Amino acid sequence: MHFEMEELVPIVAKLAGEYTSFESTSIPYEKAQQLMEAVLYCIHEAELVEAAENVSAAEDVGETRSHLPVSKEKTSARQAYHTGKNCVEQKTKQALNLYHAILPEFVSCGNRCLYETFTKGLPEFFRWYDVKFAPQNTIVTLDYPILKDISGLTGIDKIYEFLQCISLEQKFLQKFPEEYVTEILEQYAKKVSGAQDTGRELAENICEIVLASVLPHMLIRKPLSEFYFQEEEYARLQEIISRAELPELRKLLTDAAKAFLRAYGGGFGQEKVEEEWTEYMLRPAGEIAVRLKNAADHGTLSSLI
């Protein structure tokens, strides 16, 4: 959707009037700019919904993306804004519902970054988020790094995507005893930074650290309950990793991760959720392969795993 400025200004003017409770006809430039951004954000939400509906309609009749139906009637800027505003309100409710669905069984495994982001940062977002006058503002920094790049998103779009990723990560972490994950984080912290305490202060993705611990075990069929590798086991890993070229190692680890997720996954009740979970949790496999290959090439596997 593309709208000329003369179509947008009346919407911003009405929004400005509501912001001042119609007691003033003028607002600072910065506030006017904020309200224009709010209008554009809502219109973009309407675009996302329209695109999703078109794709769904195309799939229903077996059409390809290049043959999506084109609307014959042009939506007005005002219609697009109100549609988008409703979408923002609905997404905010969905995000809050998702937060409360995750909260009862939420585990942070002692990690301060994850705990504070989820239990302190997100409630502050929902407390202060202004759907009407500043839906584009994200408010909180979301310090905990998820396995998906959402840096291009803002406002409720970013928060909702973050929560969806956290939901998938929680499904993964809850497959393990919490003390098991805590032990992995502690050993990782000691190897990487020489820290003598637990992994409380790690500002890294917990699931990636756990997966990076699991995959070498699977390569040599070592029980997950045995944290420490013996000298002969490092030698076996060194041989397997050194023999494989990086693309081959990536595939080897991705296949191992898939096998692990199949064995320890399930129970979600929906095939689509299962697929989303598996696809999301496979994201770190390629980077883990790079780190293992580099460590093997330099004879430093014992300092990594």
Side-chain angles (χ1 to χ4, degrees):
M1 300 178 189
H2 174 74
F3 300 105
E4 300 298 332
M5 187 60 68
E6 55 264 28
E7 297 178 86
L8 301 174
V9 169
I11 306 174
V12 175
K14 185 175 185 299
L15 204 56
E18 294 174 356
Y19 178 78
T20 62
S21 299
F22 299 98
E23 294 179 358
S24 173
T25 58
S26 64
I27 56 175
Y29 172 78
E30 292 76 12
K31 180 58 64 175
Q33 186 176 36
Q34 174 193 308
L35 297 180
M36 176 61 79
E37 291 173 358
V39 170
L40 293 175
Y41 186 89
C42 290
I43 289 175
H44 179 63
E45 287 297 308
E47 291 174 339
L48 294 177
V49 170
E50 182 180 33
E53 290 176 347
N54 285 342
V55 169
S56 178
E59 290 175 348
D60 288 343
V61 295
E63 294 179 87
T64 64
R65 186 177 292 272
S66 60
H67 294 90
L68 294 179
V70 178
S71 176
K72 295 181 180 180
E73 295 185 7
K74 184 179 184 299
T75 304
S76 70
R78 189 175 299 277
Q79 289 173 324
Y81 167 70
H82 284 293
T83 297
K85 181 173 176 289
N86 290 336
C87 292
V88 170
E89 292 172 348
Q90 184 63 30
K91 187 175 288 187
T92 302
K93 292 177 183 177
Q94 291 172 344
L96 186 58
N97 289 339
L98 179 55
Y99 179 83
H100 286 300
I102 298 170
L103 186 59
E105 298 182 6
F106 172 75
V107 294
S108 64
C109 303
N111 182 260
R112 188 190 302 275
C113 186
L114 174 56
Y115 178 82
E116 293 193 349
T117 299
F118 189 83
T119 65
K120 296 182 180 180
L122 289 173
E124 285 299 295
F125 170 84
F126 288 113
R127 180 183 180 186
W128 298 108
Y129 186 54
D130 190 340
V131 173
K132 188 172 189 178
F133 298 117
Q136 70 276 17
N137 289 351
T138 309
I139 302 173
V140 295
T141 57
L142 300 178
D143 294 327
Y144 179 74
I146 56 175
L147 298 176
K148 184 177 183 179
D149 182 13
I150 58 173
S151 59
L153 301 178
T154 62
I156 193 59
D157 287 339
K158 188 167 190 173
I159 297 299
Y160 187 53
E161 192 67 34
F162 182 84
L163 278 167
Q164 288 182 311
C165 292
I166 289 293
S167 178
L168 296 175
E169 292 191 16
Q170 287 291 302
K171 288 180 173 65
F172 177 78
L173 293 173
Q174 289 163 9
K175 299 294 179 181
F176 304 90
E178 189 169 354
E179 59 271 18
Y180 178 84
V181 177
T182 302
E183 177 68 18
I184 290 177
L185 297 180
E186 180 177 351
Q187 297 305 319
Y188 176 84
K190 289 178 179 179
K191 284 181 177 290
V192 173
S193 62
Q196 295 303 309
D197 59 350
T198 65
R200 279 183 61 83
E201 305 305 323
L202 290 170
E204 300 181 41
N205 185 274
I206 293 178
C207 295
E208 183 170 355
I209 294 173
V210 174
L211 197 61
S213 173
V214 166
L215 293 182
H217 282 72
M218 296 194 68
L219 287 181
I220 60 172
R221 301 182 184 277
K222 178 180 175 66
L224 297 182
S225 58
E226 299 177 8
F227 284 103
Y228 302 100
F229 286 84
Q230 304 301 317
E231 187 174 340
E232 63 272 17
E233 291 172 329
Y234 279 121
R236 287 165 59 194
L237 279 170
Q238 178 76 37
E239 181 182 358
I240 292 172
I241 296 171
S242 297
R243 192 172 57 223
E245 296 295 330
L246 184 56
E248 182 185 353
L249 182 61
R250 281 198 179 108
K251 184 178 187 307
L252 190 64
L253 290 182
T254 299
D255 290 344
K258 286 180 180 177
F260 173 80
L261 294 171
R262 281 197 301 269
Y264 288 85
F268 300 134
Q270 294 183 1
E271 183 178 347
K272 183 179 179 182
V273 175
E274 184 92 25
E275 291 175 356
E276 289 175 351
W277 180 69
T278 302
E279 180 183 352
Y280 181 80
M281 293 313 309
L282 287 175
R283 286 173 175 268
E287 179 57 33
I288 293 171
V290 172
R291 294 201 296 266
L292 288 174
K293 185 66 174 174
N294 184 61
D297 289 346
H298 292 83
T300 58
L301 276 175
S302 60
S303 66
L304 183 66
I305 58 177

